[in-house]
Amino acid sequence: MTTSSHSSTQNQTSGMWGGRFTEATDSFVAEFTASVQFDQRFYRQDIAGSIAHATMLAKVGVLTEQERDDIIQGLTEIQKEIEEGRFEWRVDLEDVHMNIEARLTDRIGITGKKLHTGRSRNDQVATDIRLYVRDEIDATLQLLSKLQKGILSLADQHTATIMPGFTHLQTAQPVTFGHHLMAWFEMLFRDSERLIDCRKRVNRMPLGSAALAGTTYPIDRTYTAQLLGFDTASENSLDAVSDRDFAIEFNAAASLIMMHLSRMSEELILWTSAQFKFVNIPDRFCTGSSIMPQKKNPDVPELVRGKTGRVYGDLISLLTLMKGQPLAYNKDNQEDKEPLFDAIDTVRGSLMAFADMVPALVPNQAEMREAALRGFSTATDLADYLVKKGIAFRDAHEIVGKAVALGVQEGKDLSELKLEQLQQFSDLISADVFDKALTLEASVSARNHLGGTAPAQVQAAIQRAHQRLEQLYA
Ligand code: ARG
């Protein structure tokens, strides 16, 4: 950050509002109240908004065409200066808006001072953040789509790979790995739906609301909105300059994405442990220990799990920021940016890592199968088998409980007990019990309905998922 000037156009008191002031802003206060350190991030949106504003002002006759062209050319060159690292950001000019405007006046003279006709930084900043969040939503949706497709391709290879399904983290019933992955897909699909829905409310244009009450110039807001790709102009100027719901909504959607990634992380951390051994994460996503030579740590999932807290924190910051504000704009609103940017960066980084890592996961099919066999995961199937032979479910539950107790005693799965051993609990058990109920394959294949874990259902769910993605992102 530099405070040097390019041939300053300010007077000796206080930047853009020197007229009313009799002494310069205290240098600490200038630094304390500035936002250019972080809002320079949306210079592109600021320049795009200014170009659209100037174009509209010329259309309605407030600027001449020559003035409009000079402004557009000046702003285009400023954008180049910024992108080539030649722009000097000045803290004494407070924010991205005044830095760019002052530089414009440096470059094109008095016409630069006309750009701010009929607008205020209040509607300008509200417009800039909306443009910025809109771009970020689109980029986040791209990453989500990449991750979703990665999950589908892995699931497609494992529609019949059997693993234990858990409740209470205790082995419950066998499921297919493909089915488990498709549960992840569903979580992330809803996340995309939420972002797409949130985008509708982001994509409304505050510009023209000016400071709070609108402006006396004959502006054409619908035209400016069209130029900037907004769906519509906002309806109420007081609301438009002060509303930050859209940022909160985005952060809430980002929090849910992180919550989902964190749950996936937790599973990956468990699954890669020596106690589970279900999955191998390729070395490029892991690190070792400086002291324990055998260690390979699942850093990416651990970090994503950890970073989830920051995004929740950002959400709480934004909610708290807004709760006490009377209409309309208050300087408090400047505090919306850092939490919002932090949430954006965190969710994007996490999605990027996951989109690369998930399709590269290598499941250990033998270990998964062995674990499913070790947890009496087909006990419910045996109970269902008895029910089909006429026994009431509660009685069947009791019978199977006894069979499991024998299995525990002998260190064997139900499918490994002898037929005669099973028959001592019910004479309705016959030789078909192994094929119909006790094997892992029989168990998963029997759950053959929409949303069930049968390989055929998982295959069909994957097909539908491809279509649903196409529709969603159309
Ligand atoms: N930097 C300010 C922000 O981020 C821009 C708007 C300032 N408006 C004002 N009246 N002080 O909110």
Side-chain angles (χ1 to χ4, degrees):
M1 192 62 46
T2 160
T3 50
S4 73
S5 75
H6 13 61
S7 73
S8 175
T9 50
Q10 282 72 57
N11 63 32
Q12 281 309 298
T13 52
S14 232
M16 293 284 182
W17 45 79
R20 189 215 186 284
F21 284 63
T22 54
E23 61 176 352
T25 309
D26 178 271
S27 64
F28 170 74
V29 171
E31 180 100 35
F32 185 72
T33 54
S35 55
V36 67
Q37 306 89 322
F38 44 85
D39 65 17
Q40 55 180 268
R41 179 194 272 245
F42 51 76
Y43 72 88
R44 267 194 303 117
Q45 288 77 8
D46 193 70
I47 288 172
S50 290
I51 288 176
H53 181 64
T55 306
M56 181 277 292
L57 289 180
K59 177 176 181 259
V60 300
V62 173
L63 291 180
T64 66
E65 292 186 355
Q66 186 58 52
E67 287 169 334
R68 174 199 63 199
D69 293 346
D70 290 349
I71 286 173
I72 293 177
Q73 197 192 336
L75 288 170
T76 309
E77 275 157 19
I78 289 171
Q79 176 153 343
K80 235 190 265 159
E81 287 180 5
I82 296 172
E83 285 167 358
E84 289 168 5
R86 289 184 285 115
F87 190 90
E88 290 182 77
W89 295 102
R90 289 173 42 183
V91 177
D92 62 315
L93 288 174
E94 197 177 315
D95 56 26
V96 62
H97 322 291
M98 293 203 290
N99 266 269
I100 290 175
E101 192 191 319
R103 181 68 183 132
L104 182 67
T105 304
D106 272 355
R107 291 194 67 118
I108 69 170
I110 186 150
T111 305
K113 295 187 178 182
K114 295 189 177 179
L115 170 62
H116 212 51
T117 312
R119 78 172 182 190
S120 146
R121 279 184 298 151
N122 298 350
D123 59 342
Q124 189 180 356
V125 69
T127 301
D128 290 359
I129 321 170
R130 283 174 183 267
L131 288 171
Y132 186 80
V133 171
R134 187 179 75 186
D135 290 346
E136 289 299 327
I137 287 178
D138 292 343
T140 307
L141 282 169
Q142 291 282 327
L143 287 171
L144 272 169
S145 153
K146 185 175 173 206
L147 173 55
Q148 287 155 348
K149 287 180 185 149
I151 291 174
L152 290 185
S153 78
L154 189 61
D156 195 49
Q157 299 161 45
H158 294 287
T159 54
T161 302
I162 291 177
M163 66 181 284
F166 300 93
T167 60
H168 314 268
L169 201 58
Q170 310 287 320
T171 298
Q173 292 170 350
V175 294
T176 59
F177 184 50
H179 195 52
H180 194 113
L181 291 170
M182 289 305 287
W184 289 1
F185 175 87
E186 290 303 325
M187 300 173 185
L188 297 169
F189 188 84
R190 291 193 296 277
D191 290 330
S192 294
E193 289 180 312
R194 252 185 294 276
L195 279 181
I196 289 167
D197 196 59
C198 168
R199 193 185 191 283
K200 295 180 199 160
R201 282 171 295 282
V202 170
N203 205 24
R204 294 172 189 166
M205 187 193 73
L207 206 59
S209 304
L212 76 165
T215 177
T216 55
Y217 299 94
I219 56 173
D220 181 348
R221 297 187 64 215
T222 306
Y223 179 64
T224 319
Q226 261 170 20
L227 292 176
L228 290 170
F230 281 107
D231 294 332
T232 123
S234 58
E235 285 284 337
N236 181 292
S237 63
L238 293 170
D239 175 49
V241 292
S242 72
D243 164 35
R244 295 293 181 273
D245 295 6
F246 69 93
I248 295 174
E249 224 183 310
F250 171 82
N251 204 335
S255 298
L256 285 168
I257 294 173
M258 292 304 295
M259 183 269 282
H260 288 146
L261 294 182
S262 185
R263 293 184 69 186
M264 292 159 67
S265 294
E266 176 67 10
E267 294 190 323
L268 289 174
I269 293 160
L270 287 169
W271 290 353
T272 51
S273 71
Q275 288 66 32
F276 275 81
K277 291 193 262 175
F278 284 6
V279 161
N280 191 30
I281 299 178
D283 289 0
R284 63 183 181 278
F285 300 104
C286 301
T287 65
S289 157
S290 57
I291 172 171
M292 297 167 284
Q294 85 283 11
K295 289 299 283 291
K296 173 175 155 182
N297 298 324
D299 292 54
V300 167
E302 286 177 296
L303 261 182
V304 167
R305 188 177 58 180
K307 283 177 186 291
T308 302
R310 316 166 50 130
V311 178
Y312 294 1
D314 296 329
L315 175 61
I316 294 296
S317 296
L318 290 178
L319 284 166
T320 312
L321 172 68
M322 295 310 295
K323 75 179 273 292
Q325 288 197 47
L327 288 170
Y329 177 87
N330 303 280
K331 184 76 169 179
D332 311 42
N333 277 347
Q334 184 166 291
E335 283 289 306
D336 63 353
K337 289 165 200 66
E338 287 163 294
L340 179 62
F341 294 159
D342 185 65
I344 284 170
D345 292 344
T346 308
V347 78
R348 278 187 63 176
S350 303
L351 281 171
M352 240 181 255
F354 260 66
D356 282 345
M357 181 182 67
V358 167
L361 295 174
V362 183
N364 186 344
Q365 301 187 43
E367 292 289 343
M368 284 180 170
R369 191 181 172 81
E370 186 58 22
L373 282 173
R374 287 301 140 233
F376 299 100
S377 63
T378 57
T380 315
D381 298 85
L382 180 55
D384 290 342
Y385 170 91
L386 291 169
V387 168
K388 280 174 203 147
K389 298 217 168 184
I391 296 188
F393 184 79
R394 273 292 148 240
D395 294 333
H397 189 285
E398 173 80 16
I399 291 167
V400 177
K402 286 180 181 151
V404 167
L406 176 66
V408 171
Q409 199 183 315
E410 303 230 327
K412 286 182 177 157
D413 182 56
L414 293 178
S415 63
E416 295 165 329
L417 293 174
K418 294 207 177 63
L419 181 59
E420 305 80 69
Q421 286 180 296
L422 291 167
Q423 282 171 334
Q424 62 181 300
F425 303 110
S426 167
D427 51 17
L428 289 173
I429 296 177
S430 52
D432 65 353
V433 72
F434 295 100
D435 279 354
K436 286 206 173 133
L438 292 183
T439 66
L440 298 174
E441 282 71 19
S443 173
V444 295
S445 299
R447 286 161 172 81
N448 191 18
H449 53 76
L450 182 72
T453 194
Q457 292 295 337
V458 177
Q459 195 63 64
I462 293 170
Q463 292 318 316
R464 286 195 302 274
H466 281 293
Q467 289 161 12
R468 288 162 65 204
L469 282 184
E470 237 165 72
Q471 279 167 15
L472 186 68
Y473 294 119

PDB file of all heavy atoms in Angstrom, residues 168-193:
ATOM      1  N   HIS A 168     -24.922 -44.516  14.153  1.00  0.00           N
ATOM      2  CA  HIS A 168     -24.160 -44.367  15.416  1.00  0.00           C
ATOM      3  C   HIS A 168     -22.694 -44.764  15.231  1.00  0.00           C
ATOM      4  O   HIS A 168     -22.036 -45.162  16.191  1.00  0.00           O
ATOM      5  CB  HIS A 168     -24.772 -45.185  16.548  1.00  0.00           C
ATOM      6  CG  HIS A 168     -26.260 -45.057  16.658  1.00  0.00           C
ATOM      7  ND1 HIS A 168     -26.877 -44.127  17.454  1.00  0.00           N
ATOM      8  CD2 HIS A 168     -27.252 -45.741  16.031  1.00  0.00           C
ATOM      9  CE1 HIS A 168     -28.203 -44.242  17.334  1.00  0.00           C
ATOM     10  NE2 HIS A 168     -28.459 -45.211  16.465  1.00  0.00           N
ATOM     11  N   LEU A 169     -22.222 -44.751  14.001  1.00  0.00           N
ATOM     12  CA  LEU A 169     -20.882 -45.229  13.641  1.00  0.00           C
ATOM     13  C   LEU A 169     -20.677 -46.705  14.005  1.00  0.00           C
ATOM     14  O   LEU A 169     -19.548 -47.188  14.118  1.00  0.00           O
ATOM     15  CB  LEU A 169     -19.773 -44.341  14.246  1.00  0.00           C
ATOM     16  CG  LEU A 169     -18.414 -44.436  13.549  1.00  0.00           C
ATOM     17  CD1 LEU A 169     -18.481 -44.079  12.068  1.00  0.00           C
ATOM     18  CD2 LEU A 169     -17.375 -43.552  14.238  1.00  0.00           C
ATOM     19  N   GLN A 170     -21.761 -47.415  14.215  1.00  0.00           N
ATOM     20  CA  GLN A 170     -21.705 -48.869  14.411  1.00  0.00           C
ATOM     21  C   GLN A 170     -22.200 -49.502  13.115  1.00  0.00           C
ATOM     22  O   GLN A 170     -23.117 -48.981  12.476  1.00  0.00           O
ATOM     23  CB  GLN A 170     -22.638 -49.307  15.558  1.00  0.00           C
ATOM     24  CG  GLN A 170     -22.489 -48.529  16.847  1.00  0.00           C
ATOM     25  CD  GLN A 170     -21.215 -48.862  17.595  1.00  0.00           C
ATOM     26  OE1 GLN A 170     -20.811 -50.026  17.653  1.00  0.00           O
ATOM     27  NE2 GLN A 170     -20.562 -47.843  18.150  1.00  0.00           N
ATOM     28  N   THR A 171     -21.609 -50.623  12.749  1.00  0.00           N
ATOM     29  CA  THR A 171     -22.040 -51.297  11.525  1.00  0.00           C
ATOM     30  C   THR A 171     -23.535 -51.555  11.581  1.00  0.00           C
ATOM     31  O   THR A 171     -24.050 -52.101  12.561  1.00  0.00           O
ATOM     32  CB  THR A 171     -21.282 -52.624  11.364  1.00  0.00           C
ATOM     33  OG1 THR A 171     -19.895 -52.307  11.249  1.00  0.00           O
ATOM     34  CG2 THR A 171     -21.740 -53.368  10.121  1.00  0.00           C
ATOM     35  N   ALA A 172     -24.246 -51.152  10.523  1.00  0.00           N
ATOM     36  CA  ALA A 172     -25.702 -51.275  10.529  1.00  0.00           C
ATOM     37  C   ALA A 172     -26.148 -52.284   9.465  1.00  0.00           C
ATOM     38  O   ALA A 172     -26.561 -53.395   9.796  1.00  0.00           O
ATOM     39  CB  ALA A 172     -26.338 -49.914  10.285  1.00  0.00           C
ATOM     40  N   GLN A 173     -26.055 -51.906   8.200  1.00  0.00           N
ATOM     41  CA  GLN A 173     -26.436 -52.785   7.104  1.00  0.00           C
ATOM     42  C   GLN A 173     -25.463 -52.558   5.963  1.00  0.00           C
ATOM     43  O   GLN A 173     -24.922 -51.466   5.827  1.00  0.00           O
ATOM     44  CB  GLN A 173     -27.872 -52.459   6.644  1.00  0.00           C
ATOM     45  CG  GLN A 173     -28.913 -52.817   7.686  1.00  0.00           C
ATOM     46  CD  GLN A 173     -30.303 -52.281   7.364  1.00  0.00           C
ATOM     47  OE1 GLN A 173     -30.471 -51.487   6.446  1.00  0.00           O
ATOM     48  NE2 GLN A 173     -31.279 -52.709   8.142  1.00  0.00           N
ATOM     49  N   PRO A 174     -25.274 -53.571   5.134  1.00  0.00           N
ATOM     50  CA  PRO A 174     -24.372 -53.341   3.996  1.00  0.00           C
ATOM     51  C   PRO A 174     -24.984 -52.347   3.016  1.00  0.00           C
ATOM     52  O   PRO A 174     -26.199 -52.332   2.813  1.00  0.00           O
ATOM     53  CB  PRO A 174     -24.229 -54.726   3.359  1.00  0.00           C
ATOM     54  CG  PRO A 174     -25.303 -55.570   3.919  1.00  0.00           C
ATOM     55  CD  PRO A 174     -25.810 -54.935   5.172  1.00  0.00           C
ATOM     56  N   VAL A 175     -24.134 -51.541   2.453  1.00  0.00           N
ATOM     57  CA  VAL A 175     -24.548 -50.633   1.373  1.00  0.00           C
ATOM     58  C   VAL A 175     -23.481 -50.744   0.289  1.00  0.00           C
ATOM     59  O   VAL A 175     -22.444 -51.378   0.480  1.00  0.00           O
ATOM     60  CB  VAL A 175     -24.661 -49.165   1.853  1.00  0.00           C
ATOM     61  CG1 VAL A 175     -25.776 -49.007   2.869  1.00  0.00           C
ATOM     62  CG2 VAL A 175     -23.335 -48.660   2.416  1.00  0.00           C
ATOM     63  N   THR A 176     -23.752 -50.127  -0.841  1.00  0.00           N
ATOM     64  CA  THR A 176     -22.691 -50.084  -1.849  1.00  0.00           C
ATOM     65  C   THR A 176     -21.942 -48.767  -1.710  1.00  0.00           C
ATOM     66  O   THR A 176     -22.502 -47.746  -1.285  1.00  0.00           O
ATOM     67  CB  THR A 176     -23.255 -50.220  -3.275  1.00  0.00           C
ATOM     68  OG1 THR A 176     -24.169 -49.157  -3.505  1.00  0.00           O
ATOM     69  CG2 THR A 176     -23.965 -51.559  -3.452  1.00  0.00           C
ATOM     70  N   PHE A 177     -20.666 -48.823  -2.053  1.00  0.00           N
ATOM     71  CA  PHE A 177     -19.839 -47.612  -1.996  1.00  0.00           C
ATOM     72  C   PHE A 177     -20.413 -46.558  -2.944  1.00  0.00           C
ATOM     73  O   PHE A 177     -20.447 -45.370  -2.632  1.00  0.00           O
ATOM     74  CB  PHE A 177     -18.395 -47.978  -2.366  1.00  0.00           C
ATOM     75  CG  PHE A 177     -17.425 -46.832  -2.246  1.00  0.00           C
ATOM     76  CD1 PHE A 177     -17.362 -46.043  -1.106  1.00  0.00           C
ATOM     77  CD2 PHE A 177     -16.547 -46.552  -3.290  1.00  0.00           C
ATOM     78  CE1 PHE A 177     -16.451 -44.989  -1.003  1.00  0.00           C
ATOM     79  CE2 PHE A 177     -15.627 -45.507  -3.199  1.00  0.00           C
ATOM     80  CZ  PHE A 177     -15.584 -44.724  -2.058  1.00  0.00           C
ATOM     81  N   GLY A 178     -20.909 -47.027  -4.094  1.00  0.00           N
ATOM     82  CA  GLY A 178     -21.540 -46.100  -5.039  1.00  0.00           C
ATOM     83  C   GLY A 178     -22.711 -45.366  -4.403  1.00  0.00           C
ATOM     84  O   GLY A 178     -22.906 -44.173  -4.616  1.00  0.00           O
ATOM     85  N   HIS A 179     -23.479 -46.090  -3.611  1.00  0.00           N
ATOM     86  CA  HIS A 179     -24.642 -45.488  -2.953  1.00  0.00           C
ATOM     87  C   HIS A 179     -24.196 -44.432  -1.949  1.00  0.00           C
ATOM     88  O   HIS A 179     -24.795 -43.354  -1.847  1.00  0.00           O
ATOM     89  CB  HIS A 179     -25.435 -46.597  -2.249  1.00  0.00           C
ATOM     90  CG  HIS A 179     -26.820 -46.190  -1.840  1.00  0.00           C
ATOM     91  ND1 HIS A 179     -27.727 -45.633  -2.700  1.00  0.00           N
ATOM     92  CD2 HIS A 179     -27.459 -46.287  -0.638  1.00  0.00           C
ATOM     93  CE1 HIS A 179     -28.860 -45.393  -2.055  1.00  0.00           C
ATOM     94  NE2 HIS A 179     -28.719 -45.767  -0.809  1.00  0.00           N
ATOM     95  N   HIS A 180     -23.148 -44.739  -1.207  1.00  0.00           N
ATOM     96  CA  HIS A 180     -22.615 -43.779  -0.240  1.00  0.00           C
ATOM     97  C   HIS A 180     -22.135 -42.516  -0.974  1.00  0.00           C
ATOM     98  O   HIS A 180     -22.436 -41.389  -0.568  1.00  0.00           O
ATOM     99  CB  HIS A 180     -21.467 -44.415   0.556  1.00  0.00           C
ATOM    100  CG  HIS A 180     -21.093 -43.633   1.776  1.00  0.00           C
ATOM    101  ND1 HIS A 180     -21.280 -44.085   3.056  1.00  0.00           N
ATOM    102  CD2 HIS A 180     -20.566 -42.393   1.904  1.00  0.00           C
ATOM    103  CE1 HIS A 180     -20.871 -43.159   3.922  1.00  0.00           C
ATOM    104  NE2 HIS A 180     -20.430 -42.132   3.244  1.00  0.00           N
ATOM    105  N   LEU A 181     -21.429 -42.716  -2.067  1.00  0.00           N
ATOM    106  CA  LEU A 181     -20.945 -41.555  -2.825  1.00  0.00           C
ATOM    107  C   LEU A 181     -22.118 -40.734  -3.368  1.00  0.00           C
ATOM    108  O   LEU A 181     -22.065 -39.498  -3.416  1.00  0.00           O
ATOM    109  CB  LEU A 181     -20.059 -42.020  -3.993  1.00  0.00           C
ATOM    110  CG  LEU A 181     -18.714 -42.623  -3.590  1.00  0.00           C
ATOM    111  CD1 LEU A 181     -18.036 -43.268  -4.794  1.00  0.00           C
ATOM    112  CD2 LEU A 181     -17.797 -41.556  -2.983  1.00  0.00           C
ATOM    113  N   MET A 182     -23.174 -41.418  -3.746  1.00  0.00           N
ATOM    114  CA  MET A 182     -24.336 -40.694  -4.281  1.00  0.00           C
ATOM    115  C   MET A 182     -25.048 -39.881  -3.185  1.00  0.00           C
ATOM    116  O   MET A 182     -25.740 -38.907  -3.481  1.00  0.00           O
ATOM    117  CB  MET A 182     -25.298 -41.653  -4.984  1.00  0.00           C
ATOM    118  CG  MET A 182     -24.750 -42.179  -6.307  1.00  0.00           C
ATOM    119  SD  MET A 182     -24.264 -40.856  -7.450  1.00  0.00           S
ATOM    120  CE  MET A 182     -25.875 -40.271  -7.962  1.00  0.00           C
ATOM    121  N   ALA A 183     -24.872 -40.284  -1.941  1.00  0.00           N
ATOM    122  CA  ALA A 183     -25.383 -39.452  -0.837  1.00  0.00           C
ATOM    123  C   ALA A 183     -24.610 -38.127  -0.814  1.00  0.00           C
ATOM    124  O   ALA A 183     -25.198 -37.053  -0.639  1.00  0.00           O
ATOM    125  CB  ALA A 183     -25.241 -40.188   0.495  1.00  0.00           C
ATOM    126  N   TRP A 184     -23.307 -38.209  -0.992  1.00  0.00           N
ATOM    127  CA  TRP A 184     -22.507 -36.968  -1.089  1.00  0.00           C
ATOM    128  C   TRP A 184     -23.008 -36.115  -2.246  1.00  0.00           C
ATOM    129  O   TRP A 184     -23.130 -34.889  -2.132  1.00  0.00           O
ATOM    130  CB  TRP A 184     -21.023 -37.302  -1.333  1.00  0.00           C
ATOM    131  CG  TRP A 184     -20.288 -37.904  -0.190  1.00  0.00           C
ATOM    132  CD1 TRP A 184     -20.781 -38.222   1.053  1.00  0.00           C
ATOM    133  CD2 TRP A 184     -18.902 -38.279  -0.187  1.00  0.00           C
ATOM    134  NE1 TRP A 184     -19.783 -38.763   1.823  1.00  0.00           N
ATOM    135  CE2 TRP A 184     -18.632 -38.808   1.095  1.00  0.00           C
ATOM    136  CE3 TRP A 184     -17.883 -38.215  -1.123  1.00  0.00           C
ATOM    137  CZ2 TRP A 184     -17.356 -39.271   1.446  1.00  0.00           C
ATOM    138  CZ3 TRP A 184     -16.624 -38.676  -0.784  1.00  0.00           C
ATOM    139  CH2 TRP A 184     -16.374 -39.196   0.495  1.00  0.00           C
ATOM    140  N   PHE A 185     -23.258 -36.788  -3.366  1.00  0.00           N
ATOM    141  CA  PHE A 185     -23.732 -36.057  -4.548  1.00  0.00           C
ATOM    142  C   PHE A 185     -25.009 -35.276  -4.227  1.00  0.00           C
ATOM    143  O   PHE A 185     -25.144 -34.107  -4.600  1.00  0.00           O
ATOM    144  CB  PHE A 185     -23.974 -37.030  -5.714  1.00  0.00           C
ATOM    145  CG  PHE A 185     -24.575 -36.360  -6.915  1.00  0.00           C
ATOM    146  CD1 PHE A 185     -23.772 -35.750  -7.872  1.00  0.00           C
ATOM    147  CD2 PHE A 185     -25.953 -36.308  -7.078  1.00  0.00           C
ATOM    148  CE1 PHE A 185     -24.332 -35.101  -8.966  1.00  0.00           C
ATOM    149  CE2 PHE A 185     -26.517 -35.653  -8.169  1.00  0.00           C
ATOM    150  CZ  PHE A 185     -25.707 -35.053  -9.110  1.00  0.00           C
ATOM    151  N   GLU A 186     -25.938 -35.920  -3.547  1.00  0.00           N
ATOM    152  CA  GLU A 186     -27.218 -35.251  -3.242  1.00  0.00           C
ATOM    153  C   GLU A 186     -27.003 -34.005  -2.396  1.00  0.00           C
ATOM    154  O   GLU A 186     -27.647 -32.976  -2.605  1.00  0.00           O
ATOM    155  CB  GLU A 186     -28.182 -36.209  -2.537  1.00  0.00           C
ATOM    156  CG  GLU A 186     -28.725 -37.318  -3.430  1.00  0.00           C
ATOM    157  CD  GLU A 186     -29.448 -36.811  -4.677  1.00  0.00           C
ATOM    158  OE1 GLU A 186     -30.121 -35.767  -4.612  1.00  0.00           O
ATOM    159  OE2 GLU A 186     -29.312 -37.466  -5.726  1.00  0.00           O
ATOM    160  N   MET A 187     -26.114 -34.099  -1.402  1.00  0.00           N
ATOM    161  CA  MET A 187     -25.836 -32.929  -0.556  1.00  0.00           C
ATOM    162  C   MET A 187     -25.357 -31.762  -1.431  1.00  0.00           C
ATOM    163  O   MET A 187     -25.827 -30.627  -1.315  1.00  0.00           O
ATOM    164  CB  MET A 187     -24.724 -33.242   0.455  1.00  0.00           C
ATOM    165  CG  MET A 187     -25.006 -34.370   1.418  1.00  0.00           C
ATOM    166  SD  MET A 187     -23.485 -34.685   2.381  1.00  0.00           S
ATOM    167  CE  MET A 187     -23.969 -36.124   3.313  1.00  0.00           C
ATOM    168  N   LEU A 188     -24.414 -32.082  -2.309  1.00  0.00           N
ATOM    169  CA  LEU A 188     -23.798 -31.030  -3.116  1.00  0.00           C
ATOM    170  C   LEU A 188     -24.748 -30.525  -4.202  1.00  0.00           C
ATOM    171  O   LEU A 188     -24.661 -29.373  -4.631  1.00  0.00           O
ATOM    172  CB  LEU A 188     -22.495 -31.549  -3.746  1.00  0.00           C
ATOM    173  CG  LEU A 188     -21.415 -31.924  -2.726  1.00  0.00           C
ATOM    174  CD1 LEU A 188     -20.275 -32.671  -3.408  1.00  0.00           C
ATOM    175  CD2 LEU A 188     -20.866 -30.690  -2.019  1.00  0.00           C
ATOM    176  N   PHE A 189     -25.650 -31.390  -4.630  1.00  0.00           N
ATOM    177  CA  PHE A 189     -26.643 -30.958  -5.614  1.00  0.00           C
ATOM    178  C   PHE A 189     -27.540 -29.881  -4.997  1.00  0.00           C
ATOM    179  O   PHE A 189     -27.820 -28.849  -5.619  1.00  0.00           O
ATOM    180  CB  PHE A 189     -27.462 -32.168  -6.076  1.00  0.00           C
ATOM    181  CG  PHE A 189     -28.387 -31.861  -7.237  1.00  0.00           C
ATOM    182  CD1 PHE A 189     -27.924 -31.887  -8.545  1.00  0.00           C
ATOM    183  CD2 PHE A 189     -29.714 -31.533  -7.015  1.00  0.00           C
ATOM    184  CE1 PHE A 189     -28.766 -31.597  -9.620  1.00  0.00           C
ATOM    185  CE2 PHE A 189     -30.569 -31.243  -8.075  1.00  0.00           C
ATOM    186  CZ  PHE A 189     -30.088 -31.280  -9.380  1.00  0.00           C
ATOM    187  N   ARG A 190     -27.967 -30.121  -3.772  1.00  0.00           N
ATOM    188  CA  ARG A 190     -28.786 -29.096  -3.096  1.00  0.00           C
ATOM    189  C   ARG A 190     -27.997 -27.800  -2.930  1.00  0.00           C
ATOM    190  O   ARG A 190     -28.544 -26.700  -3.016  1.00  0.00           O
ATOM    191  CB  ARG A 190     -29.252 -29.608  -1.723  1.00  0.00           C
ATOM    192  CG  ARG A 190     -30.258 -30.729  -1.773  1.00  0.00           C
ATOM    193  CD  ARG A 190     -30.900 -30.963  -0.409  1.00  0.00           C
ATOM    194  NE  ARG A 190     -29.978 -31.404   0.626  1.00  0.00           N
ATOM    195  CZ  ARG A 190     -29.587 -32.670   0.821  1.00  0.00           C
ATOM    196  NH1 ARG A 190     -30.037 -33.634   0.035  1.00  0.00           N
ATOM    197  NH2 ARG A 190     -28.753 -32.981   1.793  1.00  0.00           N
ATOM    198  N   ASP A 191     -26.696 -27.930  -2.678  1.00  0.00           N
ATOM    199  CA  ASP A 191     -25.874 -26.722  -2.540  1.00  0.00           C
ATOM    200  C   ASP A 191     -25.888 -25.900  -3.825  1.00  0.00           C
ATOM    201  O   ASP A 191     -25.966 -24.671  -3.784  1.00  0.00           O
ATOM    202  CB  ASP A 191     -24.427 -27.101  -2.178  1.00  0.00           C
ATOM    203  CG  ASP A 191     -24.324 -27.642  -0.756  1.00  0.00           C
ATOM    204  OD1 ASP A 191     -25.135 -27.224   0.098  1.00  0.00           O
ATOM    205  OD2 ASP A 191     -23.438 -28.479  -0.496  1.00  0.00           O
ATOM    206  N   SER A 192     -25.827 -26.588  -4.951  1.00  0.00           N
ATOM    207  CA  SER A 192     -25.894 -25.863  -6.235  1.00  0.00           C
ATOM    208  C   SER A 192     -27.257 -25.210  -6.412  1.00  0.00           C
ATOM    209  O   SER A 192     -27.350 -24.054  -6.838  1.00  0.00           O
ATOM    210  CB  SER A 192     -25.643 -26.815  -7.409  1.00  0.00           C
ATOM    211  OG  SER A 192     -24.328 -27.296  -7.366  1.00  0.00           O
ATOM    212  N   GLU A 193     -28.298 -25.951  -6.093  1.00  0.00           N
ATOM    213  CA  GLU A 193     -29.645 -25.370  -6.202  1.00  0.00           C
ATOM    214  C   GLU A 193     -29.751 -24.098  -5.375  1.00  0.00           C
ATOM    215  O   GLU A 193     -30.321 -23.095  -5.793  1.00  0.00           O
ATOM    216  CB  GLU A 193     -30.703 -26.370  -5.712  1.00  0.00           C
ATOM    217  CG  GLU A 193     -30.922 -27.556  -6.619  1.00  0.00           C
ATOM    218  CD  GLU A 193     -31.989 -28.498  -6.070  1.00  0.00           C
ATOM    219  OE1 GLU A 193     -31.934 -28.840  -4.866  1.00  0.00           O
ATOM    220  OE2 GLU A 193     -32.865 -28.891  -6.828  1.00  0.00           O
TER     221      GLU A 193
END
